[in-house]
Amino acid sequence: MISEVNLSEQKMSFLCLTNSSNSHKMEFNLYENNGNGYQKIERYDDEKTEELARHYRRILDLIGEDSGREGLLKTPLRVAKAMQFFTQGYKLDPVEMLKSATFHEDYRQMVLVKNIELYSMCEHHILPFFGKAHVAYIPNGQVTGLSKIARVVDAYARRLQVQERLTTQIRDCIQDTLQPLGVAVVIEAQHMCMQMRGIQKQNSVTTTSDFTGAFLRTATREEFIHLITARLH
């Protein structure tokens, strides 16, 4: 991922490239217009976006709507762009994210990043599930940038997922890439497929966990659980 921020008196711009390929590019620019507002520019793969929009237009017609009425004219295009954003994780490489900010440090205590917001899409009904992830590891000679942990969560979450697999993928990525003494991952999420359809249990929360190495020991795991539930600030 390439990020660029350019601030000046007359212009603010943000550029985000998910990879070097032109087939999947999202670019956002905000231009200040003498205090009169902002101009937003979005760039997607035109061919892919139009193909998705065509299918969404057909879906609107199939469910009994009029895809040609005023309120729905641009809906297929909006949904096509939104779906590419929701699933941008397929174009991201979490391993390279970790490797891009790895440093040698003689630190062998727990590193915990908790309450990482996550948004994903259930692969069974293409409905959102969302919540937070708590990720910890015990370094074995090298550490990674703290933001990279959150980026790994996003890279796997921004795909069609099940929470169980998402938990394991985050664990395996950190374990295989950094080779730490242990990794712990806990995810708490609410699933719209259970809340707005089916069993319709609005207050249900699903918790998954996965551990390796030192976190398989009861004392280390209990310390981790205590830290993610404690209010330290």
Side-chain angles (χ1 to χ4, degrees):
M1 175 176 288
I2 302 172
S3 298
E4 176 184 301
V5 179
N6 180 17
L7 298 177
S8 67
E9 293 182 357
Q10 296 183 338
K11 175 181 176 181
M12 274 196 312
S13 68
F14 176 74
L15 170 66
C16 173
L17 299 179
T18 56
N19 65 8
S20 58
S21 170
N22 290 327
S23 65
H24 190 86
K25 181 170 76 169
M26 291 181 290
E27 182 174 328
F28 306 91
N29 291 278
L30 295 178
Y31 292 88
E32 188 172 357
N33 185 17
N34 298 324
N36 295 324
Y38 296 90
Q39 178 185 9
K40 180 181 179 182
I41 300 173
E42 297 180 327
R43 294 176 183 165
Y44 292 84
D45 179 342
D46 291 338
E47 183 177 350
K48 181 184 294 184
T49 301
E50 182 51 43
E51 182 71 8
L52 285 167
R54 183 175 65 82
H55 289 292
Y56 284 121
R57 194 174 295 111
R58 177 60 177 154
I59 289 172
L60 289 174
D61 292 333
L62 286 172
I63 65 174
E65 261 293 356
D66 175 10
S67 62
R69 69 178 176 86
E70 182 182 16
L72 293 177
L73 279 176
K74 294 185 178 180
T75 297
L77 182 62
R78 294 189 188 102
V79 179
K81 291 180 177 180
M83 186 56 69
Q84 291 176 79
F85 182 82
F86 295 153
T87 59
Q88 62 183 285
Y90 290 119
K91 300 295 183 179
L92 301 176
D93 188 339
V95 171
E96 290 304 315
M97 289 177 175
L98 289 178
K99 288 181 177 180
S100 70
T102 301
F103 314 97
H104 293 287
E105 289 290 342
D106 187 20
Y107 180 83
R108 293 173 182 264
Q109 301 299 319
M110 190 185 308
V111 178
L112 167 63
V113 183
K114 68 178 185 177
N115 296 327
I116 303 170
E117 299 95 336
L118 70 85
Y119 301 90
S120 192
M121 300 288 284
C122 167
E123 68 180 31
H124 300 142
H125 299 94
I126 319 295
L127 287 173
F129 68 91
F130 57 92
K132 54 189 177 181
H134 315 290
V135 182
Y137 73 101
I138 300 176
N140 186 22
Q142 59 181 357
V143 299
T144 189
L146 297 177
S147 69
K148 305 307 177 187
I149 302 297
R151 291 186 186 278
V152 167
V153 172
D154 278 349
Y156 285 116
R158 292 295 188 178
R159 307 178 184 193
L160 300 184
Q161 278 285 13
V162 295
Q163 185 173 329
E164 298 88 339
R165 183 172 67 238
L166 174 60
T167 306
T168 299
Q169 286 177 331
I170 296 168
R171 179 207 66 181
D172 289 345
C173 178
I174 297 172
Q175 181 64 51
D176 295 343
T177 307
L178 299 180
Q179 294 294 309
L181 300 176
V183 176
V185 180
V186 168
I187 294 178
E188 305 169 76
Q190 300 181 59
H191 292 249
M192 297 305 291
C193 59
M194 283 187 62
Q195 294 182 344
M196 66 182 296
R197 59 158 300 283
I199 195 65
Q200 299 182 61
K201 299 302 180 184
Q202 282 74 32
N203 297 314
S204 62
V205 177
T206 300
T207 302
T208 50
S209 63
D210 216 336
F211 307 96
T212 67
F215 289 98
L216 297 175
R217 296 197 294 267
T218 301
T220 309
R221 189 164 61 251
E222 286 180 348
E223 178 186 356
F224 168 73
I225 298 299
H226 169 72
L227 288 173
I228 67 174
T229 57
R231 296 182 63 87
L232 302 178
H233 54 81

